[in-house]
Amino acid sequence: MAWVAIAIVVAAGTIGVRHTLPPGVVPRDAPTGQFSAERAMDHVRRIAAAPHPAGSPQHAVVRDYLVIELASLGMSVSVQSGAGRTTVDSQSTIALHNIVARRAGVGTGPALLLLAHYDAARVAPGAGDDASGVAAILETLRAIGPAPLQNDLLVVFTDGEELGLLGAQLLMRHPLARTVGLVLNFDARGNSGPSFLFQTSPGNAALIREVARVATDPRANSLAGEVYRRLPNDTDLSVFLREASGVHALNFAFVDGLTAYHTAADTPDALDQRSLQHHGSWALALTKHFGQLDLTTLDAPDAIYFSAPLVGLVYYPVSWALPLSIAVAVGVVVVVLVGARRGTLSGLGLAAGAGGMIVTATVAGLMAYVGWHVLRNSSPTIETSRSFFLVFAALAVVIGVGALSRAARRFGPAELAVASLALWAGLGVAAAVAMPGATWLVTWPAAFALAGVASATRPGAWGPVRIAMVALSAVPAMVLVPPIVWQLQVAMTNRVAFICTIVTALLVWLIAAPLAGTFRALQGTVHSCAPVVAPPIHGTSS
């Protein structure tokens, strides 16, 4: 049964890691109503055939192509011209040309706007940033067909985004901007990875509820929104959120493949078509859904939300954050008191668990921190190297598992897990106060781990059912945490590798109950026919 427990933990981790990958590509010969990345790539190759910064002759070629394509898809097309001052040189002005397309709906409510920018950085062909967003919208229009939706459908390809969101600022002066009820923006910071819903407008509970109903392969969580809100980053959507009162918004991007970002390497051949497919999966499903929905019904409080493999998009009111976090923290206290009374938790065992966790996290974090500072000046690619991060994450796992294996020879599984469980529960309470959108990442893994620790504190034999139940308590942690650790490294590069490594070490100790129980079983300490009792309260081993 011990091997079954190991299999459960490994399988959960594998499912979690696979959640960091975009979906597979739909081929060109798929039914016409489906989004196909292979078909959308025809647009990417035309748009990103060469660098086309705003104001360049090639940029005009791209603009003409897009106008023709939109018209062929049954859209009424115009070009909004103006000028803007660049953020590179506030004294310089540049001519701007937004491409504005509209298809009238059968209703009279607010319009749905699909938004992407068609300019590129100076030397970049811009396949990922942002031909992918433009192509996703064009293929979505083709898949939807010419029939009108309930709402007006607007498509805007902005100019001058790379020079300071100039096209988006110009768009706000267009009369159609005042008709918008919901904006879906598609962008990229790289050329691969899943398309992530990383930002919403405030008051997103109704938006997220509707997204959850139709998204086929969502990648989204409220932690990303909390983090992005605190970063000095902007997209075209930032202009809408600042200047358009009452407009709802969803922002999508893929962020892997940073080495290609704003460089000559951002070519169509280098673009991961799976990322384009994921962009299109969002665009098609949400356009069809929100195009028929009354967009005046989307006002609501904020929600906490996260996507999980095999489950989809989970969401609940932000008002639940603090009560749930407090409930888990109180549960930890109750388990400790009950375990101490039963004699299955000892002071020495709890100290061993706390010490092992602290030492593992400290050593692993220091190794990654020192390694980064030693190597960053000698290797120009170390900042984005996945191998660097994976090596130190693996070391964190090896150190943690090794320490747990040795400690499990003397101390009970519950004793070794309590300190980490208490830390995660405390982080949940702190997050509920300071950053509620982040609470799901600590509260739910801690809640299930708490159930496992509670089972492990019961005296008596560890039969197959008990071992399996304790192993299952690790599933949420293994499914939810590794993808976020990976995504944090992708988004922030190896500058935060030491943080990711520390979290990896803490994850090992959060699931200490099933791991230590398994080690004891493999070492012959735990048998289904023999009682397994942790050291008594005075600290001697059982």
Side-chain angles (χ1 to χ4, degrees):
M1 193 62 205
W3 291 110
V4 174
I6 292 175
I8 291 172
V9 174
V10 172
T14 302
I15 291 172
V17 170
R18 286 184 61 83
H19 199 54
T20 65
L21 302 175
V25 172
V26 174
R28 184 182 298 276
D29 59 358
T32 57
Q34 293 186 22
F35 185 100
S36 166
E38 289 188 358
R39 290 191 287 243
M41 278 301 297
D42 293 341
H43 298 301
V44 173
R45 293 187 180 97
R46 290 292 297 271
I47 298 166
H52 55 282
S56 68
Q58 183 63 25
H59 190 49
V61 172
V62 171
R63 179 167 60 253
D64 292 343
Y65 170 75
L66 295 176
V67 168
I68 293 171
E69 287 298 310
L70 286 167
S72 72
L73 291 165
M75 305 292 287
S76 174
V77 190
S78 63
V79 175
Q80 179 197 21
S81 297
R85 293 185 181 273
T86 72
T87 56
V88 177
D89 179 0
S90 60
Q91 301 305 311
S92 298
T93 60
I94 185 169
L96 300 170
H97 305 282
N98 289 337
I99 304 170
V100 181
R102 176 178 179 266
R103 179 185 296 163
V106 299
T108 59
L112 171 63
L113 169 60
L114 306 183
L115 188 65
H117 70 90
Y118 75 103
D119 63 312
R122 187 174 61 86
V123 300
D129 181 27
D130 189 27
S132 63
V134 174
I137 292 173
L138 291 174
E139 170 66 3
T140 292
L141 294 176
R142 185 212 56 76
I144 289 175
L149 301 171
Q150 180 68 24
N151 301 317
D152 285 2
L153 178 60
L154 304 179
V155 171
V156 177
F157 298 143
T158 58
D159 198 358
E161 191 269 356
E162 301 292 1
L163 300 176
L165 315 180
L166 302 184
Q169 294 169 28
L170 176 64
L171 177 61
M172 298 310 298
R173 302 198 290 271
H174 196 291
L176 286 177
R178 294 191 292 272
T179 71
V180 174
L182 172 63
V183 185
L184 309 181
N185 184 59
F186 295 89
D187 210 333
R189 193 218 63 175
N191 62 4
S192 60
S195 177
F196 207 84
L197 171 54
F198 68 95
Q199 183 187 22
T200 73
S201 51
N204 57 26
L207 267 177
I208 295 300
R209 179 194 66 221
E210 297 302 327
V211 170
R213 287 176 176 173
V214 297
T216 56
D217 196 3
R219 302 289 194 281
N221 65 67
S222 48
L223 170 60
E226 294 274 16
V227 173
Y228 187 77
R229 193 178 305 135
R230 290 163 171 79
L231 295 175
N233 299 345
D234 284 306
T235 66
D236 278 340
L237 192 62
S238 304
V239 178
F240 262 91
L241 293 177
R242 286 196 299 262
E243 300 185 19
S245 175
V247 172
H248 303 285
L250 299 171
N251 211 356
F252 303 89
F254 48 87
V255 300
D256 210 344
L258 180 60
T259 53
Y261 181 56
H262 286 181
T263 72
D266 191 12
T267 64
D269 288 342
L271 176 66
D272 189 339
Q273 292 189 30
R274 296 176 302 170
S275 302
L276 177 57
Q277 182 68 47
H278 205 188
H279 251 1
S281 298
W282 282 115
L284 180 57
L286 297 184
T287 299
K288 290 169 66 176
H289 183 68
F290 285 114
Q292 306 289 7
L293 191 71
D294 183 354
L295 300 181
T296 64
T297 64
L298 296 178
D299 293 330
D302 274 326
I304 295 171
Y305 57 96
F306 60 94
S307 55
L310 310 179
V311 175
L313 195 58
V314 179
Y315 61 94
Y316 51 93
V318 74
S319 59
W320 292 15
L322 188 58
L324 286 173
S325 300
I326 291 175
V328 174
V330 171
V332 175
V333 174
V334 171
V335 165
V336 170
L337 293 176
V338 171
R341 187 175 71 244
R342 289 172 171 171
T344 55
L345 294 178
S346 70
L348 185 59
L350 296 177
M357 175 191 70
I358 293 171
V359 170
T360 300
T362 301
V363 171
L366 280 175
M367 290 172 64
Y369 184 81
V370 172
W372 158 249
H373 282 276
V374 168
L375 295 175
R376 65 175 179 170
N377 293 326
S378 61
S379 175
T381 61
I382 197 66
E383 184 169 340
T384 57
S385 169
R386 299 300 158 71
S387 298
F388 175 90
F389 168 67
L390 290 173
V391 164
F392 286 98
L395 283 173
V397 172
V398 170
I399 294 170
V401 169
L404 269 174
S405 178
R406 291 185 62 84
R409 298 173 184 174
R410 180 176 181 187
F411 301 107
E415 294 177 304
L416 299 177
V418 164
S420 182
L421 177 58
L423 175 62
W424 284 74
L427 289 173
V429 174
V433 174
M435 192 183 289
T439 52
W440 65 271
L441 182 61
V442 285
T443 297
W444 294 111
F448 280 82
L450 174 63
V453 171
S455 178
T457 59
R458 290 188 297 107
W462 278 56
V465 174
R466 189 175 180 185
I467 292 176
M469 290 297 294
V470 174
L472 287 171
S473 72
V475 169
M478 294 301 296
V479 167
L480 296 178
V481 178
I484 297 301
V485 172
W486 180 255
Q487 289 157 7
L488 179 61
Q489 189 276 337
V490 168
M492 306 297 288
T493 73
N494 283 326
R495 288 175 291 179
V496 297
F498 73 99
I499 296 176
C500 297
T501 304
I502 290 171
V503 175
T504 302
L506 295 177
L507 173 62
V508 172
W509 285 88
L510 179 64
I511 61 171
L515 290 180
T518 300
F519 295 147
R520 287 174 70 112
L522 294 174
Q523 294 161 2
T525 310
V526 175
H527 302 282
S528 58
C529 58
V532 178
V533 180
I537 202 69
H538 53 74
T540 59
S541 64
S542 55

